[in-house]
Amino acid sequence: MKKLLLLLILFTTFIANSQKIYVVDSQFKADLLVFKVSSQFSAGDNDGKWFFVNSQFKAKKKIFFVNSQFAADLKIYFVSSQFKAGWKKSSKKHLLY
């Protein structure tokens, strides 16, 4: 029982310190257009160029992918070019600062 409670607390803490993200099927539905870059040095500063790491301790921002757009804080769409990356709704930009 203690292990389950500890796991629940850790999971809740992780979600509370992260943004809930939903991946939409069209760029027109997205708040942010995201391009996955190949190195951490290519990642932008809140401009839609993201680099994913394997450890939460190496991450600058923590995100949590959800299965429903209604549960999400932010809706994203992955684009094929870094020049297409960027905010479509700048009113939600504060979520990733």
Side-chain angles (χ1 to χ4, degrees):
M1 184 68 179
K2 287 183 180 181
K3 288 182 182 182
L4 181 61
L5 183 60
L6 179 62
L7 183 61
L8 181 62
I9 290 171
L10 290 174
F11 183 71
T12 305
T13 303
F14 173 74
I15 291 176
N17 292 329
S18 64
Q19 294 303 323
K20 294 179 288 262
I21 305 288
Y22 180 75
V23 180
V24 294
D25 59 358
S26 168
Q27 66 180 2
F28 303 108
K29 298 177 185 176
D31 302 320
L32 175 63
L33 302 177
V34 174
F35 179 74
K36 291 182 358 180
V37 295
S38 58
S39 79
Q40 66 183 21
F41 305 109
S42 301
D45 186 28
N46 203 8
D47 64 355
K49 296 174 191 164
W50 289 8
F51 179 73
F52 290 91
V53 295
N54 294 330
S55 170
Q56 68 175 331
F57 303 108
K58 295 179 183 177
K60 290 183 181 177
K61 301 287 180 203
K62 296 175 187 169
I63 60 173
F64 181 75
F65 289 99
V66 294
N67 293 326
S68 167
Q69 65 179 329
F70 303 108
D73 298 320
L74 190 63
K75 294 180 279 188
I76 66 167
Y77 180 78
F78 287 103
V79 294
S80 58
S81 168
Q82 66 178 334
F83 303 108
K84 293 180 182 178
W87 286 94
K88 301 218 18 153
K89 291 187 180 175
S90 59
S91 64
K92 294 196 174 189
K93 204 172 190 177
H94 71 279
L95 293 172
L96 294 180
Y97 273 117

